[in-house]
Structure formats: structure tokens, C-alpha cells
């Protein structure tokens, strides 16, 4: 397990650390004797880094546990995702580009179908298509409530997210989804007296939203779940003494980065080159850079072997632009595995490459792939230990004890 | 993590266990394709033991954490150095050959420079040279206090250690170093009423010591830090049912061994052969033998690749003298890594060799080196697990559960 009081050892210097995450990078061979997309990909740059660095494999949460992207990223950032749960509402909101600050309350919303007595007949409104749901969600932004503002965005199909902002709000609310059909949606109930005002506001909001759906057949009602606020996670500046920048195309990853105190860098485009160009632009302003590549995961979830392989090759081709900046420590890894064969996130260990010319113990592995990583000199370790390793290799940690 | 109630499984027999620690043994290749000093050294004996035994690599504290020698040895002895912190004063005192027993109070002293108003102008007395500081420290041994004795020894440059012995002493004292210049040194303040008497005595001692420095320009004052007593660590006899002997040239390592209940064996000389001769002399009197080789670390800190390599070769040449005693379990490892390239302790895993002809699972590694160890059958494990492994291979542990 990682060292508890790492921040007491932090000893700042001018080194630059880059954490390049290819989402869902890890995979499994489609058949005995086969190669994973990472192993099959032509990656001369990553292979060179592997030869000059050290490999290992990470366990995102615990053996056998398949993580969501939120917890998997938190672990790589050094924040225990089991000890620090980030509410669903907050993740959902960040995922569609809304921010949730301390004291603001986010919730995840589901469209549902009710009959004339208001009893739920379908908890997911017949899995209404996104094109139909999107304009319905837009209607909710007309809703006015006293003393607070609300922002609503569509997520996918029957799902949306809502954020309420104002004074004296509390996320200590029970959700309104009864988790079964044949009963009415529940009222928002406060878990304690301090949350009563917020419960009243959300009940008013639900009532007005329901009215706006009165012309609908399928999506004629809604439930709210996962009320939550910014969980107040440990911040990069405090944990590591690092000024940290996040470079990611997708909002959800920017969101998790913000929650641990990273600055989100704005940029145009969405290719690896675009991301590395953004990195270059802010290179002198930060010590730590999180760069996120999404599409490895997307192709994994689609079951598209070649697609995933080509994304990896694209990152490799752009890599010299990053290397030209001469980082002191470069980690290339995934947040979790998304095997093409499984078409979903999985629990498999994740390939991890550590390159740090001044301080790394070079191992005997000369290519970047799952089997190489299982045989690498860093061994198998929990994702929570990635940041301590990065800090050590950047020579940013003092000795423990005399 | 190691098994918590190991002592409940202890089942004594007549086996002999040797833990041979080459301080700072672990290293990193100076360049891609290069070898570490251990890998480059000609070590036919260790290589044979590797072929007949099993290899692994240890993490001294946690990944990325660089340990001091004290914590690193404690971990190998099976005492968690994070849970059991040994006060600075105690380590410093043991480091210069003074013992600190339960109830005695040790502190680390710094010479400093004060102006005519007694205000600190330099917290380290211009980093006064050891030759100048040594005789000043000697002066302090003239100091007499009522009911207690004090012993003072020079450490290095501006640093010294003091031990106070007597009845009713307490280490619960605030240090006198204000951690900045422009203010006067602090008084020793008791953290609780029971420590008031000790605070008074140390304040008297400081006053008398200060007078003895009145003719000095640079080192004309002092501060005391890290007040501590023997922390009452778990003892080898209780933890493992082992009679344990420590064979070490340097006082600090004898000190840590004493703190866990080992007997320190006196001997002449400081070569590996001298140490193995001492081991042979007491072979029948003990079950466990800790043998410490210092100079691998010293050459690592000096950045002297050949020096470190030759020390390892010297140990290998002397090894048959140890093997002639026919130990049942022999572990050869380091307490931490001290890479020549970094000239300092580091966080890198440490090569670990386990030889136990009656019980070891022989792996496929046939030489002793960092890469061999990363690929060894024991895997990567925390140093705290070394003693349970040793006990098991000595067949000194009963089965857990039916």
C-alpha cells in the first residue's frame, strides 16, 4: 500500500512529470497465441521508451475489480477511490461539461413512464432515444426557482444531469427512484433538517419538470438519484506540491482532474497532436501534465480491434512532439483495461511504462505490451502507487527517516 | 502485508538463519544496456546460491519511498518502521556508539551562531568543520548536573548527540531550535508536568554548555532537537523465539539491532572475513545472525562504481567461510538501494537472495543481480515479509488453522 504521509516528504524542484493515459488501454489476446491491440500495434517510439525505461502492470482498485473511469483515474492520481467516493451526480454532471463546486448539488436524472395514476410502468421510459430525449431536457432549463439557479444537460438516452446552485444547499437527500415499477416516484426527502430547504427546492423543480412533460407518452415523468456535491478531494498542490494541468478532450476526465485541483487547459481539436500542442503551450507554467486519450476505450467497448490498435499507433506517431519537450518523468498507461473481446471495462491489470532517464532502473523489457509489462522490473502494483513512483523518479521526495 | 500474529505460529527448532545485508546494495544501470555493480561483479558463490535458491526484490517501505538506514533495517527485521518511529536523538546517539535504554533521554545537538543579544545568525554555525567541532563537544563532558549523568559525542560538522541518564526522566520535550534565524534559541519546554524535571535539567545543561562556548566566534551557542528514548520495539525473542546476534562494524546498525533485542558481538577488524570469523565464534550460541556490510552503501554515496563492485566481490570471496558453517537459511540482500548514479539512497527495489537447501522452491534464475531478482520466483514484496519467509524456510512456523 502507498505511503500515507507522502506530502511530508515532498521536496520541490523544477522537474516535469507527464502522465499519458490511454483510456482502457489494457486488453487480452483474442485467442491463445494471439496479440493484444497494444502488442500488435506498430509503436517504435513506445518500444524505445520501454527499452530505456521500466515496465510494470497496475491493479486499478483491487484484483478482480472492474473500475469505472472516475475511480480508475482517481487511483492513478493517488486518491483512494474507495475511501473517497465521488457521488454519481457529480460524475454525471462533469461528464457532460458542467462543474459542481462545494455547496452546489448535482443529481442524475432518469426519464420514466407513469400511468394516469402516476404509477411507474417503465423506469427508463422505454430507453428513449437520445434524439428524442435531448429536446425534452432542454425544456427543463426554463424552470425558475426562488433563490437558486439550475442547469440541466442531457447525458444519453433516458439519462440527464442537473446541478442546483445557491446558498445553503445540502446534498443529504434520498433519491426519488423507487427501484421498481408499480409504485409512484418518491418525494425528495431530506436526511437531516439542514437539507429540508434543498429537498423542498428539488420537489418544486420535479413538479415543474413533470408539467413540462405532460405532452409526452413515454418520457412523461422523471426520477432523481445520486444527489452529491464536490467531495473535497485532496488537491495536487497539497499532496505533491505540483502545479498540475489536465489536457483531455472529454468533459468527464477534465472533471475528475478538476476535483483533484488540476487546471483544465483549453485547446482546439482532439487528435494526440492537438493535445501535445496544448501541452507544449503551457509547458513552462506547470510541473505535472495529465494527458488523456479517450478512443482506445471507445474502440474497446465497440469490440473494434483494429480501431483500438490504430489509435495506439496514432499516439505513438505523435509521441516525438511530447518527447521533444524533454520531460523528466513520463508514464504511459491506461486507467483500466477494456478488452475488445469483452466490449467493456475489465479488471485485468493495466500496462504501465515508466521512462525517467536520470533515475529509472532499466529492466530487461524492450517493447510495450501486456506480457512485457507482466514481466517488467516494476512488478505488479496498485494504481495508487503510480504517483509516489513518479514523484520519486522526479527526485521530488526526501528520505523517510535517518 | 505480513501476517500479524506470526509469534503465535512460532515453533522453535535448532535451525540457523543468517541475514547478510550489504548496505545500499541495489543499483541502477548507468546507461541503457549497462549493468549494475552487482551484475558486473564477479560473484561465483552468490551466483551458485542464486541457482540453488530463489530470488526476489524487496520494497523497503512503499513504492517510491526512499528510506533512511534505520527504517530500512527495521523493516527487514520485521518491525514496521512507519508504525514504530525511532526518535532522531536515539538514532543519532546509537550512530556514534552510545546506547539509549528505556528511560534515558537522547537528543541531537546542533552548534549555532548567536550575536551579542543571543539572537541566532546561523543555525549551523557556518557548517563548522568536524576537526573544530570535535574538541568543543568534548568540553561538554565536564558538565555536572544533580542526580543525572550526561554523555556527549560528536557526530559530524556542527552536529553532536547527548544522552542523559538518571531516574524519572521523560523525553516529552519541545526542541529548542526555532527553525529560523533572527530569534533566540528556545528554552526546553516540557510537554506535560511529568517532563518538567527533565526540562529543567536540560535547560541547566544548555546554560552550562553555552558558557563553555563563550570563547568561540562561530560555534558560540547550541540547540537541541529530537528528544527521545528507547521506543520499546518488539523483540526478536518474543516475535520469533530467536536468540539473535548482530555483527556490524558501524555503531548505528548495532544500535538498531539492539533496539529489537539482538546481542551485539564484539570483534576486531572490519573485513567480511573478520565479520564471518566473529559469526563462527558465536555460531553455537545463537539461532539468528545479522551480518552488516557497510561499504557498498558508502561507495554508492560516493558515486564510485568500481568501489561498490569490488566490495561485493570481496564479500563473495569470503562467503565460503560463512557457508562452511552450513546455515539452514541464508538471505543476502540490501536494506535499500544506493545507486552510484544518484549518489544517495533511493526507492528502487532491492535484490533479495534466499538460499535454504531443505525447503526453498528453486526458481529459474542462475545469477544474483537486479534484473534476475526482478524476474525471480519470490516476486516483489515488502521488506517486512523477509523475516516470515526466513522463519518459514527454517521450518520454524506451525500451520495456521486446521
Amino acid at each position: 500500500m502507498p505511503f500515507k504521509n507522502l506530502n511530508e516528504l515532498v521536496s520541490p524542484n523544477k522537474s516535469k512529470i507527464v502522465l499519458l493515459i490511454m483510456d482502457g488501454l489494457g486488453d487480452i489476446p483474442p485467442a491463445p497465441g494471439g496479440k493484444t491491440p497494444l502488442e500488435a500495434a506498430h509503436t517504435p517510439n513506445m518500444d524505445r521508451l520501454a527499452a530505456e525505461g521500466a515496465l510494470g502492470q497496475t491493479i486499478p482498485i483491487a484484483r478482480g475489480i472492474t473500475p469505472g473511469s472516475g475511480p480508475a483515474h482517481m487511483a492513478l492520481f493517488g486518491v483512494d477511490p474507495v475511501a473517497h467516493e465521488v457521488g454519481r451526480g457529480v460524475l454525471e454532471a462533469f461528464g457532460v461539461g458542467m462543474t459542481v463546486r462545494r455547496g452546489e448539488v448535482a443529481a442524475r436524472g432518469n426519464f420514466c413512464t407513469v400511468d394516469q395514476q402516476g404509477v411507474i410502468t417503465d423506469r427508463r421510459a422505454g430507453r428513449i432515444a437520445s434524439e428524442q430525449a435531448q429536446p425534452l431536457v432542454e425544456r427543463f432549463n426554463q424552470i425558475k426557482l426562488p433563490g437558486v439557479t439550475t442547469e440541466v444537460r442531457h447525458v444519453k438516452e433516458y439519462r440527464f444531469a442537473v446541478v442546483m446552485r445557491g446558498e445553503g444547499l445540502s446534498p443529504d437527500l434520498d433519491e426519488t427512484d423507487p427501484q421498481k415499477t408499480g409504485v409512484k416516484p418518491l418525494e425528495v426527502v431530506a436526511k437531516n433538517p439542514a437539507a429540508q430547504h434543498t429537498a423542498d427546492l428539488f420537489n418544486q423543480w420535479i413538479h415543474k419538470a413533470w408539467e413540462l412533460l405532460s405532452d409526452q407518452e413515454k418520457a412523461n415523468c422523471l426520477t432523481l438519484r445520486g444527489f452529491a456535491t464536490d467531495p473535497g478531494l485532496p488537491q495536487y498542490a497539497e499532496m505533491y506540491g505540483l502545479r498540475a494541468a489536465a489536457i483531455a478532450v472529454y468533459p468527464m476526465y477534465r472533471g475528475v482532474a478538476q476535483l483533484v485541483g488540476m487546471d483544465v487547459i483549453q485547446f482546439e481539436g482532439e487528435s494526440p497532436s492537438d493535445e501535445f500542442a496544448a501541452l507544449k503551450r503551457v509547458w513552462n507554467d506547470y510541473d505535472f501534465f495529465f494527458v488523456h486519450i479517450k478512443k482506445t476505450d471507445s474502440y474497446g467497448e465497440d469490440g473494434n480491434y483494429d480501431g483500438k490498435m490504430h489509435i495506439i499507433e496514432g499516439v505513438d506517431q505523435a509521441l516525438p512532439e511530447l518527447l521533444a519537450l524533454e520531460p523528466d518523468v513520463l508514464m504511459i498507461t491506461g486507467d483500466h483495461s477494456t478488452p475488445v473481446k469483452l466490449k467493456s471495462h475489465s479488471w485485468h491489470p493495466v500496462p504501465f511504462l515508466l521512462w525517467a532517464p536520470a533515475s529509472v532502473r532499466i529492466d530487461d523489457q524492450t517493447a510495450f505490451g501486456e506480457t512485457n509489462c507482466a514481466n517488467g522490473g516494476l512488478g505488479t502494483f496498485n494504481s495508487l502507487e503510480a504517483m509516489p513512483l513518479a514523484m520519486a523518479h522526479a527526485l521530488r521526495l526526501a528520505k523517510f527517516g535517518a
Side-chain angles (χ1 to χ4, degrees), chain A:
Chain A
M1 277 291 92
F3 188 74
K4 281 213 164 38
N5 300 315
L6 196 78
N7 62 331
E8 294 175 9
L9 302 180
V10 166
S11 161
N13 61 25
K14 295 191 176 296
S15 60
K16 304 281 187 188
I17 303 172
V18 177
L19 172 61
L20 172 58
I21 298 182
M22 289 185 269
D23 207 290
L25 176 64
D27 213 297
I28 62 180
K35 288 183 171 183
T36 67
L38 175 59
E39 289 169 343
H42 178 62
T43 54
N45 293 305
M46 291 184 206
D47 292 345
R48 177 174 69 78
L49 296 177
E52 296 174 6
L55 302 183
Q57 56 182 5
T58 60
I59 306 288
I61 308 292
R63 277 177 213 268
I65 304 305
T66 297
S69 289
H73 274 78
M74 282 169 65
L76 283 170
F77 297 158
V79 176
D80 185 347
V82 179
H84 297 272
E85 215 172 329
V86 178
R88 288 262 170 163
V90 171
L91 281 178
E92 206 78 84
F94 273 112
V96 289
M98 297 190 287
T99 54
V100 184
R101 298 189 195 286
R102 199 98 185 126
E104 300 177 350
V105 178
R108 168 181 160 171
N110 286 358
F111 285 116
C112 62
T113 312
V114 294
D115 64 17
Q116 287 184 339
Q117 281 71 45
V119 165
I120 299 176
T121 57
D122 187 324
R123 286 177 55 240
R124 297 184 185 87
R127 289 190 184 270
I128 178 175
S130 290
E131 308 82 73
Q132 293 172 270
Q134 169 87 46
L136 298 178
V137 171
E138 293 301 333
R139 294 182 185 179
F140 298 157
N141 282 316
Q142 309 163 24
I143 298 173
K144 304 285 178 224
L145 291 174
V148 296
T149 62
T150 53
E151 185 180 3
V152 193
R153 292 200 191 173
H154 182 241
V155 175
K156 200 175 176 187
E157 298 172 346
Y158 60 93
R159 284 157 50 198
F160 59 89
V162 52
V163 180
M164 186 178 286
R165 302 184 176 102
E167 293 297 310
L169 298 179
S170 165
D172 297 341
L173 307 170
D174 284 330
E175 58 188 37
T176 75
D177 183 346
Q179 297 283 343
K180 56 185 176 187
T181 56
V183 295
K184 293 181 180 180
L186 305 170
E187 291 274 297
V188 180
V189 175
K191 293 182 181 175
N192 55 53
Q196 190 56 54
H197 176 58
T198 318
D200 294 343
L201 287 165
F202 269 109
N203 280 320
Q204 287 177 49
W205 186 89
I206 289 171
H207 194 76
K208 289 172 190 267
W210 198 359
E211 283 173 6
L212 293 171
L213 300 174
S214 56
D215 60 340
Q216 295 296 305
E217 233 174 86
K218 276 187 186 171
N220 63 2
C221 193
L222 62 98
T223 56
L224 295 183
R225 305 173 61 179
F227 293 100
T229 188
D230 176 342
L233 298 182
Q235 303 290 294
Y236 254 58
E238 296 154 22
M239 287 190 286
Y240 310 121
L242 293 173
R243 299 169 300 166
I247 294 159
V249 173
Y250 278 57
M252 147 84 182
Y253 305 95
R254 297 178 181 178
V256 180
Q258 276 180 282
L259 288 176
V260 296
M262 295 190 203
D263 287 350
V264 169
I265 307 303
Q266 302 298 330
F267 63 99
E268 298 288 318
E270 52 179 47
S271 73
S273 273
D274 295 329
E275 297 198 65
F276 294 152
L279 178 70
K280 183 176 178 178
R281 184 161 49 76
V282 298
W283 186 248
N284 293 326
D285 304 330
Y286 294 93
D287 313 300
F288 177 91
F289 307 83
F290 155 50
V291 184
H292 183 261
I293 307 286
K294 174 65 181 168
K295 289 188 176 167
T296 30
D297 179 61
S298 314
Y299 282 119
E301 297 225 330
D302 291 348
N304 185 336
Y305 186 101
D306 289 347
K308 188 170 178 180
M309 184 179 74
H310 289 138
I311 292 295
I312 296 167
E313 290 177 339
V315 172
D316 193 82
Q317 278 161 29
L319 211 51
E321 302 162 33
L322 166 58
L323 294 173
L325 297 170
E326 300 185 353
D328 296 280
V329 176
L330 170 60
M331 294 171 283
I332 306 179
T333 187
D335 55 340
H336 54 73
S337 296
T338 304
V340 166
K341 190 172 168 181
L342 300 181
K343 295 187 181 180
S344 67
H345 290 201
S346 79
W347 61 90
H348 299 91
V350 188
F352 186 93
L353 187 162
L354 175 69
W355 183 79
S359 61
V360 74
R361 174 183 288 162
I362 300 163
D363 64 17
D364 60 347
Q365 300 300 316
T366 56
F368 189 37
E370 282 79 352
T371 296
N372 294 106
C373 285
N375 294 324
L378 297 173
T380 302
F381 56 99
N382 193 283
S383 294
L384 285 171
E385 300 184 286
M387 278 304 299
L389 277 177
M391 291 289 288
H393 283 86
L395 307 178
R396 280 178 174 265
L397 293 179
K399 189 160 65 175
F400 169 65

